[in-house]
Amino acid sequence: MISTSWTKKRDEKKRRINAVKHLVENIFIKRENIVETLQVLIQPGDRVVLEGNNQKQASFLAEALLQLDPAKVNKLHMVMSSISLPEHLDIFEKGIAEKVDFAYAGPQSLRIAQMLEDGILKIGEIHTYLELYGRLFIDLIPNVVLIAADKADRLGNLYTGPNTEETPTIAEAAAFKDGIVIVQVNEIVDELPRVDIPSSWVDFIVEADQPYQLEALFTRDPQNITELHILIAMLTIRGVYEKHHVKSLNHGVGFNTAAIELLLPTYAQSLGLKGKIATNWALNPHPTLIPAIESGWVDTLYAFGGEVGMEQYVAARPDIFFTGRDGSLRSNRALAQVAGQYAIDMFIGSTLQIDKNGNSSTVVSGRLAGFGGAPNMGHDPRGRRHSSKAWLDMITSKDPLAHGRKLVVQTVETFQNGNTPVFVETLDAVEVAKQSNLATAPVMIYGDDVTHVVTEEGVAYIYKAEGQEERRQALAAIAGVTSVGRTADPKTTQALRERGVVAYPEDIGVHRTEAKRSLLAAKNIKDLVEWSGGLYNPPAKFKNW
C-alpha cells in the first residue's frame, strides 16, 4: 500500500509560520517587520486574496505587498473582488504578481485595460461577486489572505464594524483550508464592541500606521441630479414600481436611482404609493434614501457594506438597519448578494452600453470596469419558489406550470456625457473579449434576463415582447436618435404602445413639464444632513457650506 500524506497543506502552513517566529510576538507582527514577514509567509506562485472591495481597502497590506522583492516573491495569482488602488496594479508592473481574477475595477478600469494590452498582466476571469466568493471554496482556494478590520483584541478576535462586507467570507476560505490569514487593524484593544471574526480564524495581526482606506462610493450629491434624471425617475416610478407593486428591491449606483429615492417622499407620495412600493431593500445605506426613511417609506434595509458618514445615522435607526448590540451596522456582501439574487423582486441599475437585443455591459473599449454584483442581482434566478405580486406579474403565459420572474430594469439616458450613444448595434465587450483573449464576452446583464428598459423617451416592457424581432422594435422605440433608435418603425411602435409593450410618458400619466428639481426631497448634501437631524456626517469633499 502506497503511503500518502493527507496533511501537506497543514504541514506547509506550519513550516511558514515557524519560519517567522522571530519576527512576531505571539500572533502580532511588528509594523516595521511586516515586509520581511510577508516575504516569508508568501511564496512564489501562491494564490493570494487581497481585500479590496467597493469601499474598504486593506491599504496598509497592499503597500507592504508592493515592497516585496520580486526575486523572492513572484508569479502570484491575485484574487481581488475590486481592483481599486494603484498598488493593486503596481504589483504586476513590479513583477510580484502575474495573474488576477476580479469582479470590479472601476477606479483602475483604464489602466488595467492598457496593462492587459501591454501584456503586463493576465486575467483569469471577470466575475460577479458571488461567483468569485464561491470559487474561493472550490478552485481558487487561497494560500494567503490579506484582510482589514477595525479592531483586534489581545486574543486575536476581530471587530469589523459597519464595513464587515466580504471579510468573513475571505477569512473562512483560508482558515478552514490551511491557508494563512493576515489582518491589518486600525487598533488593538483590550475589549471589542462585538466579535465579528473569532481568533481561531486568524493567524497574524498587524496594527497599521493609519486606518484602512474607505471610499464613499454610494454617495450621490443631489445638486448633480438633472431634470432628465428626474424624468426617467418619474417614468420608472409610474411605469414600473406602481404598475407592478414592487416592494422588495435593490438600487444600483447612479443618479437615476438617486433621483428615484428622492422622489419617493414627494412625487410617489402624491400618487398615494406609500406602503405599496419600495418597502424592503437590499442596499448600502445611501444618503439619498434618508428623506424616504424619515418619511416612513422604508421598513427594512440589509446592507452589502457601510457608507462613509452614515455610521451615526444607521446606529440611530435600528428598526430599519441590521445592527449589533454595539449599535453599529452589520453588513455582509456575500449574504446581501444572495438576498439580492433570490429574496428581492427587482433589481434596477444602469449601464454604459445596451445592444439592439438588450444585452448590456460596463466593459467598453479602453475601459475594463468589470461589473461587480449586477449580474448576480440582474438576472432571473430560476431556483426561486416564493411568490409575490410583482414576481407573479411577470407571467405572460396561461400554462399551469408558468412561474414569475424577477424584474430586471435598466434605466439609461439615450446618450452619455460627450454625446456617446448608450444604445449600440454591437457591444464593445465583444471586441474586448477578442483582444484580451477572454473565453466569453464580458456581458454584464444578458438581454433575455432584462424585463424593462427605461429612457427619457419611455418604457419598454420587453418581457411582454413576442420574439426577438419584437424585442428589438420595443428597444428601438425608446432608444431616441441613436443608431438603434433610428431603426424603429412608427407603425410597429404604435402597435406596441397599444398592446402595452411600449409606453411613452403620456401613456402612463407622466408630464414632461413636471420633471423639475423642485420635486426632489433634498436638493443638496446639506439638505440630507438636515433631514437626518444632523446624524449624517458627509465626507469633506461633499461639504460646500
Side-chain angles (χ1 to χ4, degrees), residues 59-356:
S59 44
F60 175 78
L61 289 173
E63 292 170 3
L65 193 63
L66 182 59
Q67 296 176 54
L68 300 186
D69 182 353
K72 296 179 179 179
V73 180
N74 49 61
K75 297 185 178 180
L76 298 183
H77 179 177
M78 303 301 299
V79 181
M80 293 182 279
S81 66
S82 179
I83 299 174
S84 302
L85 303 177
E87 292 87 349
H88 291 168
L89 293 178
D90 290 345
I91 58 174
F92 292 90
E93 291 192 334
K94 193 173 177 182
I96 295 167
E98 70 171 5
K99 184 178 180 181
V100 63
D101 280 270
F102 71 102
Y104 178 69
Q108 301 295 327
S109 58
L110 298 176
R111 186 179 174 199
I112 192 173
Q114 187 61 54
M115 289 175 67
L116 184 64
E117 184 178 329
D118 295 342
I120 295 172
L121 58 73
K122 302 173 184 176
I123 290 179
E125 297 289 350
I126 304 174
H127 300 72
T128 73
Y129 285 127
L130 274 182
E131 180 182 22
L132 192 65
Y133 302 152
R135 289 188 68 193
L136 292 179
F137 295 87
I138 303 297
D139 61 338
L140 291 181
I141 299 169
N143 302 101
V144 178
V145 299
L146 307 171
I147 58 178
D150 281 34
K151 308 176 194 295
D153 65 16
R154 307 293 173 186
L155 298 175
N157 298 301
L158 303 179
Y159 169 71
T160 49
N163 300 287
T164 296
E165 306 207 26
E166 63 196 24
T167 315
T169 305
I170 296 172
E172 185 166 340
F176 293 90
K177 207 70 177 75
D178 297 309
I180 296 173
V181 178
I182 304 169
V183 189
Q184 72 167 77
V185 298
N186 297 342
E187 58 179 329
I188 299 169
V189 298
D190 293 324
E191 186 175 354
L192 298 177
R194 68 172 190 249
V195 174
D196 289 311
I197 296 176
S199 59
S200 58
W201 295 20
V202 176
D203 295 302
F204 296 105
I205 293 170
V206 59
E207 187 174 21
D209 54 358
Q210 56 186 336
Y212 56 73
Q213 187 168 326
L214 200 58
E215 296 294 327
L217 186 74
F218 294 90
T219 298
R220 291 294 178 271
D221 191 336
Q223 72 176 353
N224 296 321
I225 294 175
T226 67
E227 292 183 352
L228 199 59
H229 295 135
I230 294 168
L231 174 60
I232 293 172
M234 292 167 66
L235 287 164
T236 308
I237 289 171
R238 294 232 67 175
V240 182
Y241 291 54
E242 179 183 23
K243 179 178 175 63
H244 302 298
H245 296 265
V246 176
K247 300 193 78 172
S248 59
L249 69 161
N250 166 265
H251 273 186
V253 186
F255 286 106
N256 286 333
T257 47
I260 294 170
E261 291 159 14
L262 291 170
L263 290 187
L264 291 177
T266 57
Y267 180 68
Q269 182 84 21
S270 71
L271 299 173
L273 296 178
K274 184 177 178 180
K276 298 178 181 178
I277 65 168
T279 55
N280 302 93
W281 299 69
L283 192 71
N284 278 59
H286 289 191
T288 43
L289 201 58
I290 290 173
I293 294 172
E294 294 301 301
S295 301
W297 275 77
V298 179
D299 291 341
T300 63
L301 187 151
Y302 186 67
F304 300 77
E307 183 69 355
V308 179
M310 286 288 283
E311 296 84 3
Q312 292 183 48
Y313 180 77
V314 168
R317 302 291 184 268
D319 283 352
I320 305 297
F321 300 95
F322 285 71
T323 56
R325 291 182 181 179
D326 66 311
S328 73
L329 180 72
R330 168 66 178 194
S331 61
N332 187 304
R333 189 169 296 280
L335 289 180
Q337 290 288 343
V338 172
Q341 187 167 2
Y342 279 98
I344 62 172
D345 288 332
M346 182 179 75
F347 163 76
I348 178 167
S350 193
T351 187
L352 295 178
Q353 285 188 338
I354 300 177
D355 72 11
K356 60 185 178 182

